[in-house]
């Protein structure tokens, strides 16, 4: 060990507490105890750092240094380097040097004004970035160096040279003229560079275009870094900061161009999306940028930004669908989506959530068309719908199927949020999008999906629709059931006519919705009851030859009979309108069955007539034609 320890006073260990009795503390610098090789290594590193600093200083001032060196050589070495083609020896040196000094100073003043104005325009960017601002541009520093060199050296010549008779003085005169011409020539590229610095959007777009996977990797490790904003020397963090500026200024064109370019770069890097790790790194970086914009947009009330984010999400997932990318590789986007929906819901941004519902609907349909695994490879469907039949387990296909169906979950989640934040328009948007998905399945818009896949999606949508519809009524989002649930009756009647095995579960869900709505006295007295009766009327023509239609017709009557029974037991006479409407619907079913099966024996007619005859005579208020018109 080299070195020594000085000024050490020993204390009783029992007294080393908050009331020390000693008068002096031990003084012992850590370097005293360093081994000699470590001290020598430290000194070597310090020398290298000093060398690098000196090297940087020389690089930044190379123009001035070169000019001074050349001037000194010409001044003290009597050489005739430049032939006097311009006859400078015959002119007055004072006027010559004064002309160069005056011209340079004037141009330099204008140049400084341009630099200051540009700096003022982009000063936020200049102070924020540690590199790349206008004051660090090489062409700007070189131009300033040339101007300063010309002024100082020419002034020195002005004071010391009185004629051009000597060859070295003549050479200096030509040297001043040459660097002055160089200064004039360099003004245009410098001005172009200076003005280009003011175009921060162009610079940011170029920075995005130059991003590589390594740049995304740099920020992937900063995901949970509390002080991530301090890492502003990283390209992607600089992009993030620029986005914040444009969002703060509500510059729609600027941040849209940035996000579009970022999307293009993400698609370019992930390619076919087969590399899960690479895809995750890219989307982790992209969502890092998006998230920063989300909070800033909320702060300044720039809600249009959220629409742009939805457009970016839609483009990426449509790309995944058309390129048949395994959606598990998009898990970073999945994580973002869940948090994004919660963020919008927490801040009651219903319009942005409506856009999200439309995007989820589009993404679901695109992936069902182009990126859906075959039914035979999803063993869970056979377990659910084919009496637990065991099929080969294809883990990738099962996960892909679950990932596609997560968009239905997200849609349902937004609809649930609409009830919580009391947003009827948002609820209606979700209801429409979900109903339209069901319609498109009925129209065979997704030829790649088969009956078990169809059953899974349709059952899931209708189950959630009836549940959310009931909750919406119960929470007073709507007063009546007619507004909170709707699935086209023609779709359901076609399922019955085609004898789809899963139609029974759908009818159960709708029946439950109607009965529970009546129990809460939220069942409207016409639309919902007529909806249920319409199902029976639409299948009456195939009743005799279609076994599923016979079972469905019986179930429709069973539901009407249950409604009748519960109203008679608990809700008469104040639910007389619904009670009488149920009777009318039963009578209508009887008429349609007889009309569509004229001259034939219809077994269910006897049951229908029995239900009709059991109705009580109840007089209730009416909402239509309260006062009759008499001629």
């Amino acid at each position: 060990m080299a070195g020594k320890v000085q000024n050490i006073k020993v204390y009783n260990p029992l007294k080393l507490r908050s009331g020390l009795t000693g008068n002096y503390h031990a003084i012992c610098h850590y370097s005293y105890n360093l081994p000699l090789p470590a001290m020598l290594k430290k000194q070597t590193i310090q020398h290298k750092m000093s060398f690098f600093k000196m090297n940087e200083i020389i690089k930044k001032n190379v123009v001035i240094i070169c000019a001074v060196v050349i001037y000194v050589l010409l001044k003290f070495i009597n050489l005739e380097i430049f032939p006097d083609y311009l006859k400078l020896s015959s002119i007055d040196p004072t006027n010559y040097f004064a002309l160069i000094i005056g011209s340079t100073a004037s141009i330099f003043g204008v140049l400084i004004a341009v630099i200051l104005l540009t700096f003022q325009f982009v000063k936020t960017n200049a102070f924020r970035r540690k590199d790349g601002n206008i004051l660090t541009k090489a062409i700007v520093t070189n131009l300033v160096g040339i101007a300063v060199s010309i002024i100082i050296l020419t002034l020195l010549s002005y004071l010391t040279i009185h004629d051009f008779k000597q060859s070295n003085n003549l050479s200096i005169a030509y040297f001043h003229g040459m660097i002055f011409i160089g200064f004039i020539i360099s003004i245009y590229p410098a001005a172009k560079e200076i003005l280009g610095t003011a175009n921060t959007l162009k610079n940011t777009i170029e920075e995005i275009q130059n991003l590589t996977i390594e740049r995304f990797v740099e920020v992937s490790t900063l995901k949970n870094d509390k002080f991530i904003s301090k890492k502003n020397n990283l390209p992607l963090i600089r992009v993030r900061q620029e986005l914040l500026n444009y969002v703060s200024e509500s510059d729609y064109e600027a941040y849209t161009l940035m996000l579009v370019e970022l999307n293009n770069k993400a698609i370019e890097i992930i390619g076919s999306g087969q590399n899960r790790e690479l895809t995750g790194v890219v989307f982790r970086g992209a969502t890092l940028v998006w998230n920063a914009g989300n909070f800033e947009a909320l702060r300044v009330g720039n809600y249009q930004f959220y629409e742009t984010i939805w457009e970016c999400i839609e483009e990426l997932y449509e790309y995944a669908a058309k390129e048949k990318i395994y959606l598990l590789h998009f898990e970073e986007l999945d994580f973002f989506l869940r948090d994004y929906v919660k963020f919008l819901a927490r801040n009651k941004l219903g319009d942005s959530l409506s856009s999200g519902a439309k995007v989820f609907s589009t993404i679901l349909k695109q992936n069902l068309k182009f990126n859906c695994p075959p039914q035979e490879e999803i063993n869970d469907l056979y377990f659910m719908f084919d009496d637990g039949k065991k099929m080969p387990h294809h883990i990738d296909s099962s996960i892909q199927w679950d990932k596609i169906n997560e968009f239905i979950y997200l849609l349902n989640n937004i609809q649930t949020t609409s009830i919580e934040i009391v947003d009827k328009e948002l609820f209606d948007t979700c209801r429409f999008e979900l109903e339209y998905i069901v319609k498109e399945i009925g129209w065979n818009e997704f030829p790649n999906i088969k009956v078990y896949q169809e059953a899974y999606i349709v059952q899931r949508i209708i189950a959630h629709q009836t549940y959310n519809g009931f909750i919406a009524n119960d929470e007073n989002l709507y007063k009546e059931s007619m507004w909170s649930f709707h699935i086209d009756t023609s779709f359901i009647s076609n399922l019955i006519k085609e004898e789809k095995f899963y139609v029974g579960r759908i009818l159960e869900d709708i029946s439950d919705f109607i009965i529970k709505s009546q129990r809460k006295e939220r069942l409207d007295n016409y639309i919902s009851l007529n909806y249920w009766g319409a199902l029976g009327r639409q299948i009456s023509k195939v009743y005799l030859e279609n076994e599923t239609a016979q079972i469905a017709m019986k179930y429709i009557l069973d539901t009407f009979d249950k409604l009748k029974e519960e109203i008679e037991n608990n809700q008469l006479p104040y639910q007389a309108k619904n009670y009488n409407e149920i009777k009318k619907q039963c009578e209508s079913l009887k008429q349609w069955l007889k009309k569509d099966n004229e001259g034939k024996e219809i077994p269910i007619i006897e049951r229908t007539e029995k239900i009709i005859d059991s109705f009580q005579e109840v007089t209730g208020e009416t909402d239509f034609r309260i006062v009759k018109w008499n001629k």
Side-chain angles (χ1 to χ4, degrees):
M1 300 287 286
K4 59 183 179 178
V5 177
Q6 298 178 343
N7 299 336
I8 295 180
K9 183 170 182 176
V10 179
Y11 294 94
N12 184 339
L14 298 176
K15 295 183 179 181
L16 291 179
R17 303 176 65 86
S18 59
L20 293 178
T21 59
N23 296 322
Y24 303 99
H25 295 287
I27 300 174
C28 178
H29 193 275
Y30 75 95
S31 63
Y32 281 94
N33 297 313
L34 283 175
L36 184 58
M39 294 177 67
L40 292 174
K41 183 177 180 181
K42 180 181 176 184
Q43 291 175 359
T44 303
I45 293 172
Q46 289 175 344
H47 289 318
K48 287 183 178 179
M49 290 177 64
S50 300
F51 173 78
F52 288 139
K53 287 181 181 178
M54 182 62 69
N55 193 35
E56 286 296 316
I57 292 172
I58 292 173
K59 284 182 179 179
K60 289 181 179 179
N61 299 282
V62 65
V63 173
I64 297 176
I65 294 171
C66 289
V68 170
V69 170
I70 294 172
Y71 181 84
V72 170
L73 291 174
L74 293 174
K75 183 72 175 175
F76 296 103
I77 299 177
N78 192 11
L79 295 174
E80 188 177 345
I81 298 177
F82 303 102
D84 190 14
Y85 293 121
L86 300 178
K87 305 300 180 183
L88 294 183
S89 58
S90 61
I91 66 175
D92 182 15
T94 303
N95 294 335
Y96 177 73
F97 291 131
L99 176 64
I100 292 177
I101 292 172
S103 300
T104 304
S106 299
I107 296 171
F108 186 57
V110 173
L111 182 65
I112 291 297
V114 172
I115 292 174
L116 291 176
L117 286 173
T118 306
F119 184 77
Q120 178 68 22
F121 184 68
V122 294
K123 64 181 180 180
T124 303
N125 179 60
F127 285 126
R128 184 173 66 253
R129 292 193 175 191
K130 292 181 179 178
D131 59 352
N133 66 67
I134 185 174
L135 301 180
T136 61
K137 294 291 183 180
I139 194 165
V140 175
T141 56
N142 288 336
L143 187 65
V144 171
I146 293 174
V148 171
S149 301
I150 291 173
I151 293 172
I152 294 175
L153 296 178
T154 307
L155 181 61
L156 183 61
S157 298
Y158 177 84
L159 296 174
T160 59
I161 297 176
H162 304 292
D163 60 65
F164 293 143
K165 302 301 181 183
Q166 297 181 6
S167 59
N168 60 338
N169 289 346
L170 187 60
S171 297
I172 289 173
Y174 274 101
F175 171 67
H176 283 308
M178 292 176 65
I179 60 174
F180 178 73
I181 292 171
F183 173 66
I184 298 298
I185 293 172
S186 63
I187 288 175
Y188 174 74
K192 185 178 178 182
E193 186 80 16
I194 292 169
L195 295 175
T197 304
N199 189 351
T200 54
L201 176 60
K202 178 176 176 291
N203 297 334
T204 305
I205 294 299
E206 289 176 353
E207 192 154 36
I208 294 173
Q209 291 171 344
N210 293 328
L211 289 173
T212 61
I213 183 60
E214 290 76 19
R215 303 287 79 82
F216 284 92
V217 171
E218 287 174 345
V219 300
S220 66
T221 57
L222 304 176
K223 184 71 174 177
N224 299 314
D225 190 344
K226 183 178 179 182
F227 302 107
I228 190 171
S229 59
K230 291 185 177 181
K231 307 292 184 179
N232 60 357
N233 58 317
L234 302 180
L236 203 57
I237 300 302
R238 290 201 294 267
V239 169
R240 179 176 180 261
Q241 299 289 41
E242 290 298 337
L243 180 70
L244 288 176
N245 285 337
Y246 293 129
V247 172
S248 179
E249 296 165 3
S250 297
D251 191 339
Y252 171 76
E253 182 181 4
Y255 64 68
T256 299
L257 284 173
M258 282 186 63
L259 291 174
V260 167
E261 201 60 48
L262 187 60
N263 253 31
N264 292 340
K265 177 55 65 173
I267 289 172
E268 175 189 325
I269 293 177
I270 67 173
S272 62
Q274 299 306 308
N275 188 325
R276 179 182 178 183
E277 183 179 1
L278 181 145
T279 305
V281 166
V282 170
F283 288 145
R284 200 174 302 131
T287 55
L288 178 73
V289 175
W290 293 354
N291 269 320
N294 289 341
F295 290 104
E296 183 64 17
L298 181 66
R299 186 183 71 82
V300 299
N302 181 10
Y303 305 126
Q304 181 62 39
F305 175 76
Y306 302 126
E307 303 300 309
T308 309
I309 293 295
W310 282 124
E311 291 170 7
C312 292
I313 292 167
E314 182 176 358
E315 181 185 29
L316 291 172
Y317 275 103
E318 286 189 347
Y319 174 77
K322 291 175 181 177
E323 294 296 321
K324 302 186 184 304
I325 295 176
Y326 191 35
L327 291 182
L328 179 63
H329 295 178
F330 275 46
E331 61 185 347
E332 288 293 335
L333 279 187
D334 290 346
F335 299 152
F336 171 82
L337 282 178
R338 290 173 182 270
D339 290 340
Y340 190 43
V341 169
K342 291 177 183 177
F343 169 80
L344 297 175
R346 187 167 61 250
N347 292 286
K348 299 183 178 180
L349 300 177
D351 291 337
S352 299
L353 286 169
S354 290
S355 298
K358 295 171 186 174
V359 167
F360 289 145
S361 176
T362 301
I363 293 172
L364 172 70
K365 289 184 279 190
Q366 288 289 314
N367 279 278
L368 285 176
K369 280 184 179 179
F370 304 114
N371 202 18
C372 186
Q375 175 180 289
E376 294 76 16
E377 295 182 3
I378 309 170
N379 64 316
D380 288 344
L381 296 178
Y382 288 86
F383 183 82
M384 292 172 63
F385 299 124
D386 201 355
D387 296 327
K389 181 179 179 180
K390 291 185 178 180
M391 296 287 288
H393 186 49
H394 299 269
I395 183 66
D396 289 348
S397 295
S398 295
I399 291 175
Q400 181 77 347
W401 176 248
D402 291 340
K403 288 291 183 182
I404 291 173
N405 279 277
E406 277 185 13
F407 296 111
I408 298 177
Y409 163 80
L410 289 168
L411 260 169
N412 289 323
N413 191 26
I414 292 177
Q415 191 176 48
T416 301
T417 297
S418 70
I419 301 172
E420 295 170 354
I421 65 176
V422 194
D423 191 330
K424 290 182 180 180
E425 289 75 16
L426 178 57
F427 187 94
D428 288 340
T429 298
C430 296
R431 185 185 64 183
F432 174 81
E433 293 297 335
L434 288 164
E435 179 186 0
Y436 207 76
I437 292 168
V438 170
K439 282 184 177 180
E440 290 192 85
I441 290 175
W443 297 335
N444 199 30
E445 291 290 321
F446 312 108
N448 294 328
I449 68 172
K450 296 184 179 178
V451 65
Y452 290 168
Q453 294 168 305
E454 173 188 315
Y456 183 85
I457 294 172
V458 172
Q459 281 188 9
R460 192 175 180 192
I461 288 177
I462 293 180
H464 279 94
Q465 283 287 77
T466 53
Y467 176 80
N468 285 337
F470 175 76
I471 297 299
N473 288 325
D474 197 40
E475 295 292 329
N476 295 315
L477 187 64
Y478 295 98
K479 292 183 178 180
E480 295 179 310
S481 58
M482 60 184 288
W483 306 111
S484 59
F485 169 78
H486 186 268
I487 294 291
D488 195 354
T489 55
S490 62
F491 170 78
I492 300 173
S493 62
N494 284 337
L495 295 182
I496 296 171
K497 292 172 184 176
E498 294 169 8
E499 299 193 87
K500 293 292 180 73
F501 73 92
Y502 60 89
V503 71
R505 180 63 179 272
I506 291 173
L507 291 175
E508 285 178 342
D509 288 333
I510 299 174
S511 175
D512 287 346
F513 170 76
I514 291 173
I515 293 171
K516 290 192 295 183
S517 296
Q518 177 59 47
R519 288 173 179 173
K520 292 287 185 177
E521 299 181 7
R522 293 302 179 94
L523 188 70
D524 61 281
N525 67 308
Y526 180 70
I527 300 296
S528 295
L529 289 170
N530 186 61
Y531 175 92
W532 191 244
L535 288 174
R537 292 189 288 273
Q538 290 174 8
I539 62 173
S540 61
K541 187 172 288 188
V542 298
Y543 171 76
L544 290 177
E545 63 266 17
N546 188 309
E547 183 179 354
T548 303
Q550 294 170 13
I551 298 171
M553 187 69 76
K554 177 181 179 299
Y555 189 78
I556 291 168
L557 282 173
D558 287 343
T559 299
F560 279 139
D561 197 23
K562 180 66 176 177
L563 286 168
K564 166 183 169 294
E565 177 187 342
E566 292 199 0
I567 292 174
E568 287 175 343
N569 292 337
N570 304 301
Q571 296 176 322
L572 285 179
Y574 51 87
Q575 284 291 307
K577 288 187 289 186
N578 282 14
Y579 185 75
N580 290 331
E581 182 61 33
I582 294 169
K583 182 179 180 180
K584 290 179 182 177
Q585 292 297 325
C586 291
E587 290 171 342
S588 175
L589 284 176
K590 174 185 172 182
Q591 293 171 3
W592 278 82
L593 282 166
K594 286 186 174 181
K595 180 174 72 70
D596 289 334
N597 301 279
E598 189 173 357
K600 300 176 182 177
E601 183 180 354
I602 309 169
I604 203 168
I605 285 292
E606 182 179 351
R607 166 107 190 277
T608 307
E609 291 175 341
K610 183 178 179 181
I611 293 173
I612 294 170
D613 293 340
S614 67
F615 273 87
Q616 304 174 18
E617 290 294 328
V618 179
T619 302
E621 296 179 354
T622 179
D623 294 329
F624 306 99
R625 296 185 291 278
I626 298 171
V627 178
K628 299 290 186 181
W629 169 264
N630 294 315
K631 294 183 179 180

